[in-house]
Amino acid sequence: MSALANRHFSKMNGIGNEIVVVDLRDHPATVTADDARAVAAPNAVPYDQLMVLQPPRLAGTDAFIRIYNNDGSESGACGNGMRCVARQLFAATGKSAMTFETKAGLLNTWQGPTPELYTVDMGPPKFGWQDIPLAEEFRDTRSIELQIGPIDAPVLHTPSVVSMGNPHAIFWVDDVEAYDLGRFGPLLENHPIFPERANITLAHIVDRDHITIRTWERGAGLTKACGSAACATAVAAARLRRTNRIVQVTLPGGDLTIEWRKSDDHVLMTGTATFEFEGRFDPALFASVA
């Protein structure tokens, strides 16, 4: 029997990033990639990320969270999903701040400046080619040699790359809607330069305080919002000295405020989290799961 059969879930979204939250802290169980894929089936509860809360492993934390993409692969970080988890647990406990452990490390969350906003400390970005990771050395990851299309007239080229707990490549364009990201995204996500695949973002710098992006999310595909991509883009733009360290990032699903804090290098993401509905997983969903 699947670990998720008959389990309660909450369906939420973070500015359009479709999130399913399952709290297994009181009933620990191992969720497999097959379980995660079964949940994402069209007749189930389609999602971008599945946030599975497990009992805390470290003192001072509220849960260990495993994050699954809808193809069953695991992600180290999901900022939009973390805001959804924070909203659920803040409401249940009355707390206004919590600390969670993920594969990417510890993430602190707290109530934002207004009741409908939640802030996640996504930690410091990583820029070393081996930390992102890339398959070969690039001394300067503010831009790397990568393009798609003809050599003399590339469609997309020279992205910035950064890790926000997962790998990101940001292509700077004049119009994020002018490219068929559904076509180019899979090719770039699986490019040999990215041994762990990558999130692919098209970014347009509106001004020093505002960026617009669209993202093909690793393991999930086209998405209305990707919080870690917004963070990676804000950091990459500031590294290029094209924006300030606090910016508004506009995604198809809405806006996020991103601050790359100078005092400790951490990236703070603030945005909404919306509850949609709750239910229990029908055991029949997992009939084909061994």
Side-chain angles (χ1 to χ4, degrees):
M1 177 70 71
S2 166
L4 295 180
N6 285 315
R7 298 288 190 177
H8 177 271
F9 69 87
S10 295
K11 173 64 174 62
M12 307 183 72
N13 79 75
I15 64 167
N17 199 175
E18 301 297 335
I19 304 296
V20 172
V21 179
V22 182
D23 190 348
L24 300 184
R25 289 177 298 166
D26 293 335
H27 304 281
T30 299
V31 176
T32 68
D34 287 338
D35 292 330
R37 284 192 290 269
V39 172
N43 63 330
V45 192
Y47 64 84
D48 294 318
Q49 274 74 42
L50 172 68
M51 314 291 288
V52 180
L53 279 63
Q54 302 280 6
R57 307 188 305 181
L58 299 175
T61 62
D62 293 277
F64 172 66
I65 301 181
R66 294 184 68 181
I67 305 168
Y68 295 86
N69 299 311
N70 60 27
D71 69 351
S73 63
E74 285 197 59
S75 179
C78 176
N80 288 324
M82 293 306 305
R83 293 200 317 280
C84 291
V85 170
R87 171 177 170 157
Q88 284 290 92
L89 296 191
F90 289 177
T93 65
K95 293 184 177 181
S96 59
M98 287 185 165
T99 299
F100 301 102
E101 181 191 3
T102 71
K103 290 179 66 176
L106 297 183
L107 296 179
N108 294 310
T109 65
W110 58 90
Q111 189 71 56
T114 60
E116 72 276 8
L117 295 176
Y118 304 85
T119 297
V120 180
D121 182 344
M122 298 289 287
K126 296 180 180 179
F127 306 121
W129 69 273
Q130 70 276 22
D131 297 320
I132 292 170
L134 302 177
E136 61 183 82
E137 180 178 0
F138 286 90
R139 293 186 178 182
D140 187 353
T141 53
R142 289 176 296 182
S143 61
I144 67 169
E145 296 175 10
L146 175 63
Q147 67 181 44
I148 192 166
I151 294 178
D152 56 347
V155 177
L156 296 168
H157 63 89
T158 325
S160 300
V161 288
V162 59
S163 172
M164 284 303 313
N166 45 19
H168 290 268
I170 301 100
F171 292 85
W172 307 104
V173 299
D174 291 330
D175 181 359
V176 299
E177 300 292 343
Y179 300 83
D180 187 354
L181 190 55
R183 174 188 173 195
F184 297 126
L187 300 175
L188 290 164
E189 173 193 355
N190 294 284
H191 192 282
I193 196 65
F194 303 118
E196 296 181 8
R197 299 186 294 166
N199 297 275
I200 307 301
T201 293
L202 304 179
H204 168 63
I205 296 177
V206 180
D207 56 44
R208 292 193 61 81
D209 301 307
H210 187 196
I211 307 172
T212 299
I213 71 172
R214 289 176 64 217
T215 297
W216 173 272
E217 195 165 4
R218 179 185 66 164
L222 283 173
T223 181
K224 292 182 180 179
C226 177
S228 61
C231 294
T233 302
V235 167
R239 285 187 83 201
L240 292 169
R241 302 185 184 280
R242 299 182 65 185
T243 61
N244 297 316
R245 294 178 74 103
I246 301 177
V247 294
Q248 174 183 304
V249 180
T250 296
L251 308 91
D255 293 336
L256 293 171
T257 299
I258 308 297
E259 176 184 359
W260 184 16
R261 196 162 57 189
K262 193 170 185 178
S263 61
D264 60 4
D265 204 37
H266 284 217
V267 182
L268 309 183
M269 176 186 58
T270 300
T272 59
T274 304
F275 174 83
E276 295 183 358
F277 62 88
E278 60 185 6
R280 290 188 180 273
F281 292 121
D282 185 342
L285 294 174
F286 309 100
S288 61
V289 177

